[in-house]
């Protein structure tokens, strides 16, 4: 009886388990075993149907890749007019495959089929959403008849599609409209210390900078701020002098 009071009910994760436990970081105020026990039994938490250390000898634990559903999706895409992609994809194909970069750790044929299946499902979902949006617009303008309760609510919604501009004074915020904007000058803190004025108090390099400091190899015996300021001033003076003499454009007079 005393052992039942101190033991933790199953199922739970053993304290010290370092794997992932969904929503564990949002639960506080209880021991690790009690918290994981409540999480595993909470129907509102998305987790696997099986435990991590479940007995896999009692069920069919073989996994076939790619799954048959992915193969059917790719073959249906091929039958609907796509002459490029068809299961199985031949290894060595150098053309573009959508979402292939997001799949790794499998053979080329498996990764290609699963990537194509994922891409095709996303395309079908986007097409269904666009068709639903067009149907809502038709219902609200009276071009169709509602089929179910959702269509009835869409037809009588307060906000009609397509949405209209209710604040014309804010139309200039949209970036697809041409508008004159003042030219922004760079902030003072973004100017490189190499090209600051000699009288600028910020014309020096922070202590700890491990890069090259021009004209700094011949200076020593002073603080880092004074040393780098003097070196940068010499660099700026030499740069402006060469810019006006050696690098100046040559005018050819005939």
């Amino acid at each position: 009886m005393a052992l039942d009071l101190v033991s933790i009910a199953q199922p739970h994760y053993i304290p010290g388990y370092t794997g992932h436990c969904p929503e564990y970081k949002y639960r506080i105020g209880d021991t690790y075993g009690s918290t994981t026990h409540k999480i595993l039994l909470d129907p509102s938490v998305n987790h696997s149907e099986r435990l991590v250390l479940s007995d896999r000898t009692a069920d069919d634990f073989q996994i076939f890749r790619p799954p048959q559903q992915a193969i059917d999706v790719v073959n249906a895409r091929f039958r609907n007019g796509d002459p490029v992609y068809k299961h199985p994809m031949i290894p060595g194909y150098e053309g573009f495959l959508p979402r292939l970069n997001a799949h790794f750790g499998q053979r080329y044929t498996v990764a290609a089929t699963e990537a194509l299946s994922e891409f095709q499902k996303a395309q079908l979902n986007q097409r269904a959403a666009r068709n639903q949006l067009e149907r809502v617009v038709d219902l609200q303008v009276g071009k169709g008849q509602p089929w179910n309760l959702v269509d009835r609510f869409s037809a009588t919604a307060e906000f009609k599609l397509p949405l209209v501009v209710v604040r014309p004074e804010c139309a200039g915020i949209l970036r697809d409209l041409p508008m004159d904007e003042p030219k922004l000058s760079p902030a003072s803190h973004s100017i490189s210390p190499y090209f600051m004025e000699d009288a600028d108090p910020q014309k020096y390099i922070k202590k700890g900078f491990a890069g090259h400091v021009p004209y700094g190899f011949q200076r020593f015996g002073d603080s880092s701020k004074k040393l780098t300021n003097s070196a940068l001033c010499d660099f700026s003076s030499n740069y402006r002098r060469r810019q006006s003499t050696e690098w100046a454009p040559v005018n050819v007079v005939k």
Side-chain angles (χ1 to χ4, degrees):
M1 185 65 180
L3 184 60
D4 296 337
L5 296 176
V6 298
S7 61
I8 304 174
Q10 294 289 344
H12 68 274
Y13 287 161
I14 300 175
Y17 171 69
T18 58
H20 173 66
C21 181
E23 298 191 10
Y24 172 73
K25 62 180 180 180
Y26 304 111
R27 308 291 183 95
I28 58 176
D30 211 336
T31 62
Y32 182 82
S34 300
T35 303
T36 55
H37 171 71
K38 295 177 181 178
I39 291 176
L40 292 174
L41 297 182
D42 191 347
S44 63
V45 178
N46 295 325
H47 51 70
S48 176
E49 298 179 356
R50 297 183 177 89
L51 297 177
V52 177
L53 302 178
S54 59
D55 186 8
R56 303 305 302 274
T57 61
D59 57 5
D60 185 11
F61 55 90
Q62 296 183 0
I63 300 177
F64 298 94
R65 303 285 294 272
Q68 186 62 37
Q69 181 183 7
I71 298 175
D72 296 340
V73 171
V74 175
N75 290 336
R77 176 188 176 95
F78 177 80
R79 290 192 298 267
N80 291 334
D82 188 351
V84 179
Y85 306 126
K86 181 182 179 182
H87 178 78
M89 293 295 298
I90 301 176
Y93 173 70
E94 298 181 355
F96 174 72
L97 275 173
R99 302 199 177 187
L100 181 61
N101 294 334
H103 293 262
F104 49 88
Q106 292 290 336
R107 295 177 290 112
Y108 178 82
T109 302
V110 174
T113 302
E114 293 182 352
L116 287 173
S117 174
E118 180 181 343
F119 174 74
Q120 181 64 11
K121 290 178 181 178
Q123 292 287 309
L124 294 176
N125 293 335
Q126 294 178 4
R127 189 179 308 167
R130 184 174 62 252
N131 294 337
Q132 178 63 22
L133 185 62
E134 293 176 353
R135 173 164 176 77
V136 171
V137 175
D138 293 339
L139 289 173
Q140 292 181 352
V141 298
K143 292 184 179 180
Q145 296 296 329
W147 293 346
N148 49 32
L149 189 61
V150 177
D151 291 346
R152 294 180 183 177
F153 280 115
S154 300
T156 59
E158 178 182 359
F159 302 101
K160 306 297 182 181
L161 296 177
L163 299 178
V164 297
V165 180
V166 295
R167 297 184 61 185
E169 68 275 9
C170 297
I173 299 177
L174 301 177
R175 287 299 180 182
D176 56 351
L177 297 179
M179 58 181 302
D180 296 331
E181 296 183 354
K183 183 178 179 181
L184 298 178
S185 58
S188 60
H189 59 78
S190 63
I191 301 177
S192 173
Y194 295 97
F195 303 103
M196 290 180 176
E197 297 295 334
D198 293 346
D200 195 324
Q202 299 295 328
K203 189 179 180 66
Y204 66 94
I205 296 179
K206 300 291 184 180
K207 184 178 181 181
F209 175 71
H212 172 65
V213 179
Y215 293 90
F217 64 95
Q218 56 187 357
R219 288 174 169 78
F220 50 88
D222 210 337
S223 63
S224 174
K225 182 176 181 179
K226 294 182 179 180
L227 187 147
T228 55
N229 175 264
S230 176
L232 291 178
C233 289
D234 290 349
F235 168 77
S236 300
S237 301
N238 182 65
Y239 176 81
R240 295 189 183 97
R241 181 182 58 80
R242 300 185 65 181
Q243 190 177 27
S244 60
T245 56
E246 299 179 20
W247 302 334
V250 178
N251 296 326
V252 179
V253 180
K254 295 183 180 180

